[in-house]
Amino acid sequence: MGTQFGKGCHLHLIDGSAFIFRAYHALPPLTRKSDGLPIGAVSGFCNMLHRYVEGNSGPDAPTHVAVIFDKGSHTFRNDLYDQYKANREAMPEDLRPQIPLTRKATEAFNIACKELEGYEADDIIATLSCQARDAGGRVTIISSDKDLMQLVGDGVEMLDAMKNKRIDVDGVREKFGVGPDRVVDVQALAGDSVDNVPGAPGIGIKTAALLINEFGSLEALLDRADEIKQPKRRETLIEKRDQIELSKRLVQLDCNTPLDFTLDDLEVKDPDPETLLGFLAEMEFRTLTRRIADALGAEAPVITDAPADVPDAPGSTAPEWPAIDASKYECVRDMDRLRDWIARATDKGWVAVDTETTGLNEMRADLVGVCLSIDPGAACYIPLTHKAGGADDLFGSDDLAEGQIPLNDALDALKPLLEDPAVMKIGQNMKYDAKVLRRYGIDVAPIDDTMLMSYAMHGGEHSHGMDFLSEKYLGHQPIPIKELLGTGKSQITFERVPIDDAVKYAAEDADVTLRLWHLFKPQLHKAHVTRVYEGLERPLVPVLTRMEMAGIKVDRDTLSRMSNAFAQKMAGLESEIHELAGEAFNVGSPAQLGDILFDKMGLEGGKRGKNGKYSTGADILEDLATEHELPRRVLDWRQLSKLKSTYTDALQDHINPDTGRVHTSYSIAGANTGRLASTDPNLQNIPVRSEEGRRIREAFVAEPGKVLVSLDYSQIELRILAHIADIEALKQAFREGQDIHAATASEMFGVPLDEMTPDVRRQAKAINFGVIYGISGFGLARNLRIPRAEAQGFIDRYFERFPGIKTYMEETTAFAQKHNRVETLFGRVIHTPEINAKGPRAGFAKRAAINAPIQGTAADIIRRAMVRMDDAIAGLPAKMLLQVHDELLFEVEEGAVDDLIAAARDVMQGAAEPVVKLDVPLIVDAGKGANWAEAH
DNA sequence: CCTGTCACG
DNA sequence: GACGTACGTGACAGGG
């Protein structure tokens, strides 16, 4: 052992990605029994590794071995050619979570596992092959990928593990018609549809080989292309020379990848039975565990058959868990202890993580401490930047408290753990912690999030905050943060909390989170929401993290000027209003306004709300406006007041001084239907409907040299309704690209499309939206300002023309009444706990139940688009900034606008597939401009 | 802290 | 027959 790689050595290089895909496609979609984790590909992968190891006896056995994986979707080839591998299908959603597990499997077999950001596995294989060959050793590449055939020769061979067929120089010649040294020339000409390498159109492998053999090399061929007799072929070679040369650079493997290890690190090692069997048992591979235990002469660990017994009732925790006891948590104050925790977490494969900070704004808050928890009851707090002097120290020293690991030392130690692909990081609302840590240079991954698990399983049932979940599912009330920080004016920040108190609070949070994870993880499967969680909730965390941290540039001067203009106009309106009223009062007070309108002025139609005050909503003032001038003035004043206070004033306070941009925060688990919600500030309700309001969007601008691009789904909810309720007439109208509201009106009222009046169309539009909302005669009447009976007549006629809609509404409410939930097309569950209630609440629940699958499916679709978007635009100088339910807003360099629109539109229009094949096309409209008003 | 109002999809 | 209703959000101001 320990000899240097050289003559007599034999290196095996396994193409890990090929193994994974083979395993995935060869096996049915197996899941782990206890929790439903998809596991088919990992199982096949382990079987293949095992078979490989078993077959490695004899004189030809390798002395060195490594499994090589791809890493990152963007490589230097994408820089050469942005369409490289662009038509690759997205990774199946149930495969993605298995990828890190195959790395872990490789390590469990004690085989070196190598990858390099920005490089394909093929390049690493090429580099190692060259190194091994130059050192005088032999190489076997275990793969059947033709892209690797250029490496064969001089002691380098390939082995197709499936067919157990060796590929040597003759094998390559058989496949390509040329020797390995000319394989890239042939590939450059023939191209590759799988990797989207263009090549020379009309020339395949056969012709390419013929030409290369005739001219000797690609360069000679291109230089002497005019000698070719066939005119078509000659022209192609001359015209497409650039494209062919680019293709060669794409297929040419890089033998000089910067590796951070040497061949000697790849020496064959025997597996450690305990590690390997432990991993296999954790995966619950019964047969394979037994087989390998036999082969190793070790005892097979017991894998229980029963799924983990998970209590659903509050307070009934698993019996082996210790009680939650805040006095038992460790305070980590030196590097030795920290390293110990990190080692234990790495070994375990998962760790609950919670950060403590100076505030709730992730873009501004500073890190104060980090907590880890590995087992129920085993949690620690690592204080980092607590200040000396307690909460009652009025002058609060700025010196750091004693006994804390220097921040940078701790972060350096934590970074490998938090970024380790083989260790699951568990959090409650992990986006918060990920954003904070991202500002300290740490990219937390992979992650699980108990808040999102609860959301996937219990959406609509209850909230998903940690305190609530702990109380309900663990029967434990965590220490309220108020006890540490106080409230109101005397509130302190976490850095002022004495470390001893902080340990109890913070470590408890990590402990609770870990316990919730243990409870929830196996339940996802039973609740049939694994796909939803894995595909629609969890992957959004890194996407939103990037969007929120990018922020959007907002021009303060524009807002400030508008504020002043609004203030002036409001002052003018206010004095007019006072004049009309005959006295001064607070226009902004609905109570005072009501008294003026209905008591003092004696206008008709005063309705008192439940607090005994007159109602003065916009619809009421609108009605009064025909009788008196004052209500119109109030309406105008209110509009300006809204625009000023909520937008032109408040938005300025949200401009981050460090970035000059506004960073919203999206809550993933905020809305019942699966929609996102935007807070601090809400950038999903920036005015657009009124001309005056829309101008606020002029303050949302692109950086110099860049453009804002907006893409939005056209009528997505109506399209989904047409699909779900299966309304042929609507589907047809969408397929033909008709104006859907006009088509509806035509169908309902028998008016030909070319005779349609705006008013009839408007009514049909109101009905279409009403249907999505769970239509009622009252609601439609109010919206259209028509008598209730007339509205009911419209609805009746609508149902007559589109009976499928009525059926959908009835079936959906019946389903909800029976199951207490409804579902989207993608399996998102929305609970409807009020559906069987008595009284008006049932009506609310019914309409919500009708609306939820439609709104929710639309929400799922744009979530899918967002999850795929990063990969789709990876090669472009563009960033996704905002989501507004059916719209995505990007900031992109001017030159790349068209490319971005094409790429993003593709993703959005195809976002339902392959899980759902809609009967209607999804159409995405695009706009661009220097600001959001122009782009939208 | 709750309510009314109003901005968005 | 009466009851109150279009679906989903978040922010701000007023008023107790």
Side-chain angles (χ1 to χ4, degrees):
Chain A
M1 300 296 267
T3 51
Q4 208 175 352
F5 190 95
K7 203 166 160 51
C9 288
H10 186 181
L11 171 66
H12 274 195
L13 294 170
I14 299 173
D15 181 351
S17 304
F19 259 44
I20 293 173
F21 278 95
R22 253 196 185 146
Y24 178 77
H25 292 295
L27 288 172
L30 308 173
T31 52
R32 183 157 69 183
K33 199 164 185 179
S34 65
D35 62 359
L37 181 73
I39 213 81
V42 185
S43 167
F45 185 88
C46 288
N47 267 300
M48 289 163 76
L49 271 190
H50 175 56
R51 275 217 310 271
Y52 161 77
V53 172
E54 290 286 274
N56 266 344
S57 51
D60 211 28
T63 56
H64 296 70
V65 61
V67 180
I68 314 295
F69 292 97
D70 293 311
K71 180 161 192 190
S73 54
H74 189 91
T75 69
F76 69 90
R77 291 189 178 82
N78 297 101
D79 295 331
L80 286 173
Y81 181 52
D82 60 356
Q83 291 299 301
Y84 180 69
K85 293 202 175 181
N87 52 13
R88 271 280 158 100
E89 266 190 51
M91 183 181 292
E93 279 163 36
D94 58 336
L95 177 55
R96 200 176 292 276
Q98 302 189 61
I99 303 298
L101 292 172
T102 58
R103 309 275 197 282
K104 244 187 128 183
T106 310
E107 282 159 7
F109 275 89
N110 213 2
I111 297 174
C113 171
K114 298 297 178 189
E115 58 195 352
L116 189 61
E117 181 75 43
Y119 288 89
E120 292 184 55
D122 289 359
D123 295 310
I124 303 176
I125 291 173
T127 304
L128 290 168
S129 297
C130 292
Q131 289 178 2
R133 192 190 54 207
D134 293 349
R138 282 180 58 212
V139 181
T140 301
I141 299 166
I142 293 146
S143 172
S144 54
D145 189 343
K146 59 179 170 23
D147 295 341
L148 290 165
M149 291 188 179
Q150 57 184 275
L151 300 171
V152 169
D154 281 345
V156 180
E157 283 187 350
M158 289 176 66
L159 174 68
D160 184 335
M162 288 296 115
K163 299 180 190 146
N164 202 19
K165 195 178 131 208
R166 298 198 81 87
I167 303 163
D168 53 13
V169 174
D170 290 341
V172 174
R173 208 174 281 282
E174 200 177 301
K175 169 94 189 162
F176 280 100
V178 294
D181 52 334
R182 292 294 159 217
V183 162
V184 285
D185 290 356
V186 169
Q187 284 184 292
L189 285 171
D192 184 340
S193 59
V194 179
D195 291 347
N196 211 22
V197 172
I203 295 182
I205 289 187
K206 287 277 154 52
T207 314
L210 204 73
L211 291 167
I212 295 299
N213 282 325
E214 187 183 336
F215 287 84
S217 74
L218 181 66
E219 289 67 30
L221 168 67
L222 292 175
D223 286 343
R224 296 162 47 202
D226 52 337
E227 297 172 21
I228 291 172
K229 295 175 191 76
Q230 297 89 335
K232 191 98 191 285
R233 201 174 283 173
R234 182 175 60 235
E235 277 165 33
T236 304
L237 289 173
I238 293 169
E239 276 174 25
K240 303 285 179 180
R241 179 169 189 147
D242 287 353
Q243 184 176 317
I244 295 164
E245 284 170 340
L246 169 69
S247 298
K248 178 161 179 175
R249 291 207 299 281
L250 290 175
V251 297
Q252 179 85 57
L253 296 179
D254 181 358
C255 272
N256 294 305
T257 29
L259 302 177
D260 58 358
F261 59 92
T262 68
L263 290 170
D264 301 324
D265 297 329
L266 309 181
E267 204 160 27
V268 169
K269 288 174 283 186
D270 286 331
D272 169 42
E274 200 177 320
T275 310
L276 178 53
L277 294 172
F279 174 78
L280 297 169
E282 189 192 325
M283 294 295 110
E284 298 169 20
F285 300 149
R286 287 169 182 75
T287 317
L288 191 59
T289 307
R290 209 173 325 112
R291 194 182 299 155
I292 292 183
D294 288 350
L296 294 172
E299 184 127 346
V302 180
I303 302 169
T304 51
D305 247 4
D309 189 21
V310 174
D312 287 324
S316 56
T317 51
E320 70 269 25
W321 284 358
I324 297 176
D325 181 352
S327 67
K328 296 248 170 79
Y329 300 126
E330 178 180 339
C331 183
V332 172
R333 290 180 175 279
D334 61 64
M335 283 302 287
D336 279 350
R337 292 304 305 143
L338 178 58
R339 285 194 201 100
D340 184 62
W341 275 93
I342 291 170
R344 281 162 60 198
T346 308
D347 196 45
K348 192 92 193 176
W350 64 70
V351 59
V353 180
D354 186 26
T355 54
E356 303 303 334
T357 63
T358 54
L360 285 174
N361 180 342
E362 317 93 305
M363 287 300 294
R364 321 249 0 229
D366 293 323
L367 192 60
V368 178
V370 176
C371 333
L372 306 176
S373 174
I374 297 172
D375 281 311
C380 70
Y381 179 58
I382 309 147
L384 296 171
T385 61
H386 283 261
K387 294 280 158 63
D392 28 62
D393 181 350
L394 281 178
F395 301 100
S397 161
D398 270 345
D399 298 338
L400 287 177
E402 298 279 309
Q404 301 183 91
I405 301 171
L407 179 63
N408 286 331
D409 293 356
L411 291 174
D412 286 347
L414 284 165
K415 183 176 162 84
L417 172 73
L418 297 177
E419 297 185 348
D420 188 339
V423 181
M424 181 62 80
K425 268 66 66 175
I426 302 152
Q428 163 75 15
N429 189 15
M430 206 52 176
K431 178 158 66 69
Y432 179 87
D433 307 276
K435 280 174 79 175
V436 170
L437 289 166
R438 177 61 270 210
R439 287 180 30 241
Y440 290 85
I442 295 177
D443 280 308
V444 184
I447 61 120
D448 249 337
D449 192 320
T450 49
M451 181 183 79
L452 301 185
M453 290 179 170
S454 173
Y455 181 57
M457 291 189 288
H458 303 291
E461 258 181 358
H462 55 65
S463 62
H464 315 287
M466 195 186 69
D467 289 356
F468 180 90
L469 297 178
S470 175
E471 184 104 45
K472 181 169 174 69
Y473 295 102
L474 302 175
H476 172 79
Q477 192 179 352
I479 302 167
I481 187 73
K482 272 193 243 165
E483 273 183 28
L484 271 67
L485 305 184
T487 53
K489 226 169 59 173
S490 58
Q491 194 167 3
I492 57 167
T493 51
F494 205 87
E495 59 190 340
R496 302 266 171 216
V497 172
I499 291 178
D500 289 348
D501 297 340
V503 172
K504 298 191 183 101
Y505 165 86
E508 181 185 74
D509 277 4
D511 189 7
V512 164
T513 302
L514 185 86
R515 290 171 194 241
L516 288 172
W517 180 74
H518 276 297
L519 280 180
F520 287 163
K521 187 99 180 169
Q523 290 175 339
L524 288 171
H525 177 57
K526 288 193 248 176
H528 302 107
V529 293
T530 307
R531 291 274 174 116
V532 169
Y533 172 73
E534 306 267 1
L536 299 174
E537 327 279 16
R538 190 171 65 174
L540 221 48
V541 173
V543 175
L544 293 175
T545 298
R546 280 193 286 277
M547 289 170 68
E548 293 170 17
M549 295 195 72
I552 183 167
K553 187 170 178 181
V554 171
D555 185 64
R556 185 188 296 278
D557 291 344
T558 304
L559 291 179
S560 172
R561 273 197 301 276
M562 294 175 91
S563 273
N564 292 336
F566 289 151
Q568 279 195 1
K569 278 196 187 174
M570 283 169 70
L573 283 168
E574 199 168 329
S575 46
E576 285 179 42
I577 290 166
H578 291 166
E579 186 109 1
L580 288 163
E583 67 177 278
F585 69 100
N586 184 350
V587 183
S589 164
Q592 294 179 31
L593 176 66
D595 289 342
I596 298 277
L597 285 171
F598 301 111
D599 289 343
K600 178 151 191 247
M601 296 167 57
L603 292 174
E604 300 286 312
K607 269 187 297 194
R608 289 181 190 272
K610 47 186 143 189
N611 55 8
K613 299 211 179 79
Y614 290 113
S615 180
T616 66
D619 46 350
I620 294 184
L621 295 188
E622 202 67 52
D623 288 341
L624 294 175
T626 53
E627 298 170 37
H628 201 280
E629 286 181 49
L630 189 144
R632 171 63 56 200
R633 299 275 197 284
V634 174
L635 283 168
D636 291 346
W637 183 92
R638 276 195 186 160
Q639 191 198 5
L640 295 173
S641 161
K642 180 77 176 182
L643 295 178
K644 183 171 186 296
S645 66
T646 310
Y647 301 105
T648 55
D649 285 351
L651 221 38
Q652 295 186 51
D653 301 332
H654 282 285
I655 299 174
N656 183 303
D658 298 330
T659 65
R661 297 168 76 96
V662 172
H663 306 265
T664 185
S665 182
Y666 289 101
S667 39
I668 310 178
N672 278 337
T673 53
R675 274 194 179 179
L676 300 180
S678 162
T679 61
D680 305 304
N682 181 353
L683 294 186
Q684 290 180 321
N685 72 346
I686 303 302
V688 71
R689 291 172 185 167
S690 76
E691 180 54 42
E692 204 132 41
R694 188 158 52 235
R695 298 207 47 206
I696 289 170
R697 295 189 173 217
E698 292 170 11
F700 290 75
V701 295
E703 294 282 353
K706 297 185 180 174
V707 183
L708 292 183
V709 170
S710 160
L711 291 101
D712 68 293
Y713 285 108
S714 160
Q715 307 284 8
I716 188 167
E717 293 193 358
L718 273 176
R719 287 170 197 265
I720 290 164
L721 173 71
H723 172 91
I724 295 185
D726 196 17
I727 312 299
E728 195 47 50
L730 289 182
K731 293 198 290 191
Q732 188 67 24
F734 277 126
R735 276 190 217 113
E736 290 171 5
Q738 290 182 24
D739 173 341
I740 195 64
H741 302 310
T744 305
S746 169
E747 181 78 29
M748 272 184 70
F749 303 112
V751 184
L753 279 176
D754 48 11
E755 291 171 28
M756 187 59 54
T757 65
D759 199 55
V760 175
R761 183 183 179 281
R762 184 181 62 86
Q763 293 187 328
K765 182 176 175 180
I767 297 171
N768 276 334
F769 278 109
V771 167
I772 292 173
Y773 298 151
I775 200 158
S776 76
F778 184 94
L780 184 64
R782 202 175 67 170
N783 188 283
L784 283 177
R785 297 176 172 276
I786 57 177
R788 197 169 155 178
E790 201 179 322
Q792 192 56 53
F794 284 171
I795 293 170
D796 292 344
R797 188 176 333 205
Y798 187 91
F799 284 158
E800 218 170 275
R801 298 288 179 177
F802 306 106
I805 301 266
K806 191 164 194 203
T807 313
Y808 163 74
M809 293 171 76
E810 286 165 358
E811 283 176 357
T812 304
T813 44
F815 183 94
Q817 280 160 347
K818 184 159 177 230
H819 299 102
N820 269 309
R821 62 183 165 83
V822 291
E823 282 180 23
T824 67
L825 287 182
F826 297 89
R828 173 184 300 285
V829 174
I830 296 131
H831 292 270
T832 57
E834 300 267 72
I835 194 82
N836 290 314
K838 295 272 171 284
R841 291 191 309 179
F844 277 112
K846 246 182 179 173
R847 292 190 295 272
I850 290 165
N851 173 259
I854 302 167
Q855 188 180 116
T857 297
D860 291 347
I861 287 175
I862 198 164
R863 279 185 183 226
R864 291 169 62 86
M866 292 169 73
V867 168
R868 294 177 186 178
M869 194 59 74
D870 276 330
D871 270 353
I873 66 171
L876 298 173
K879 276 186 175 155
M880 182 158 62
L881 304 185
L882 300 179
Q883 187 250 43
V884 192
H885 309 308
D886 64 356
E887 171 189 6
L888 294 174
L889 189 72
F890 297 83
E891 186 174 28
V892 53
E893 281 181 17
E894 269 164 8
V897 169
D898 293 340
D899 288 345
L900 173 83
I901 290 176
R905 177 181 270 146
D906 260 13
V907 171
M908 289 175 75
Q909 294 187 346
E913 293 167 39
V915 178
V916 170
K917 178 86 191 87
L918 292 175
D919 298 338
V920 290
L922 288 179
I923 298 298
V924 167
D925 298 324
K928 59 178 173 175
N931 60 59
W932 199 2
E934 286 175 25
H936 185 79

